[in-house]
Amino acid sequence: AEFPSHDEVFPLLRVPFHNICVTMPRAPDSFLRRCYGASWSSEVVVWTHGGGTRRVLRMATETYSRLVADLGYRPPCALSSGAESLSAVGLESPGNLQEQLWDTLGWASPLPAFADDDSQGASEAALGMLELVMHRFQLGKLASAALAAASPCGSSHLDRLRTNSGAFVEIEEDGPSLFLRGVGTSDELDALGKELATFEEELRSDEGQVPLASSSKGPAASTESKGSGAA
């Protein structure tokens, strides 16, 4: 009873979390009720793992949210690339993030300790566990300029691609070329390809260029990583 059942977890769902989408169990309510009681969604319990001096604070979720906002808390925002997001919190490389997650979360870290031995294999294994896929879409000249010129946290273009597809997106450089890296379900990446094709056609139209014929799959993906559990 302490662990979620198969039907409570699968099929996994994709839901908005700040300015990205994340994966969550299909029906978490019954599991959370078993673990934390009927008030799990309406009451916040703040406590420490200390010894005899433990102090437990309980308050309504609305009250807690208002208090942390008054103290200056602001929700995190995914930047235009993984490197920029890491740098914004004082981490200069994925290796720094891997080490910090392993030190704080141990075996529960989403980046395993052995990732350095085969980072590509570890990434594909993690994607497979989450039933996600990765595509790299090569960007045309106009799309590269439009996306590269956007401000990191407020990119309306990147936000549009994220919002309309549900996929996580970031810009990657590979020599002189720019790519749009997308991570999501197969349906989300199909939607991302179509949304990117529409975006590029709009840019060409604004420049007075003749739109190129687009396929139903959108821009061709240069690479694809798919875990064993991906659809």
Side-chain angles (χ1 to χ4, degrees):
E2 294 182 359
F3 297 95
S5 68
H6 182 278
D7 290 341
E8 288 173 327
V9 175
F10 300 101
L12 297 171
L13 302 178
R14 297 282 284 170
V15 297
F17 182 72
H18 301 306
N19 68 330
I20 62 174
C21 287
V22 299
T23 301
M24 67 166 283
R26 181 185 71 86
D29 185 75
S30 55
F31 169 69
L32 293 171
R33 284 176 177 270
R34 291 198 304 273
C35 288
Y36 303 108
S39 64
W40 71 267
S41 64
S42 60
E43 182 182 50
V44 174
V45 180
V46 183
W47 61 290
T48 67
H49 289 273
T53 59
R54 177 185 300 172
R55 183 185 179 193
V56 177
L57 299 176
R58 296 177 180 271
M59 64 186 71
T61 303
E62 294 81 1
T63 302
Y64 178 82
S65 298
R66 185 177 67 254
L67 288 174
V68 295
D70 290 344
L71 290 173
Y73 172 78
R74 295 295 180 267
C77 176
L79 305 185
S80 60
S81 70
E84 291 182 17
S85 294
L86 290 173
S87 180
V89 292
L91 300 172
E92 298 304 323
S93 73
N96 296 147
L97 175 61
Q98 175 189 331
E99 181 177 349
Q100 178 167 312
L101 288 173
W102 186 252
D103 288 343
T104 56
L105 300 178
W107 60 267
S109 169
L111 292 179
F114 54 80
D116 282 341
D117 297 332
D118 182 8
S119 58
Q120 180 65 23
S123 296
E124 292 184 3
L127 288 175
M129 292 171 62
L130 296 173
E131 300 181 351
L132 300 178
V133 185
M134 186 276 284
H135 275 293
R136 293 176 76 224
F137 298 91
Q138 186 166 6
L139 297 172
K141 181 179 179 180
L142 293 176
S144 295
L147 293 174
S151 59
C153 195
S155 168
S156 60
H157 298 317
L158 282 177
D159 285 344
R160 165 189 168 176
L161 295 173
R162 291 188 185 112
T163 300
N164 292 350
S165 69
F168 170 78
V169 297
E170 66 176 1
I171 298 173
E172 286 187 348
E173 294 186 24
D174 190 351
S177 301
L178 281 184
F179 292 82
L180 185 73
R181 179 176 179 268
V183 177
T185 64
S186 295
D187 288 343
E188 287 171 344
L189 290 184
D190 285 344
L192 177 58
K194 294 174 182 177
E195 187 66 28
L196 182 57
T198 300
F199 174 58
E200 290 185 326
E201 287 186 6
E202 291 172 355
L203 292 174
R204 286 191 291 268
S205 178
D206 291 342
E207 289 288 313
Q209 299 182 18
V210 178
L212 300 177
S214 60
S215 68
S216 60
K217 294 182 180 179
S222 63
T223 60
E224 174 180 339
S225 295
K226 188 178 294 186
S228 58

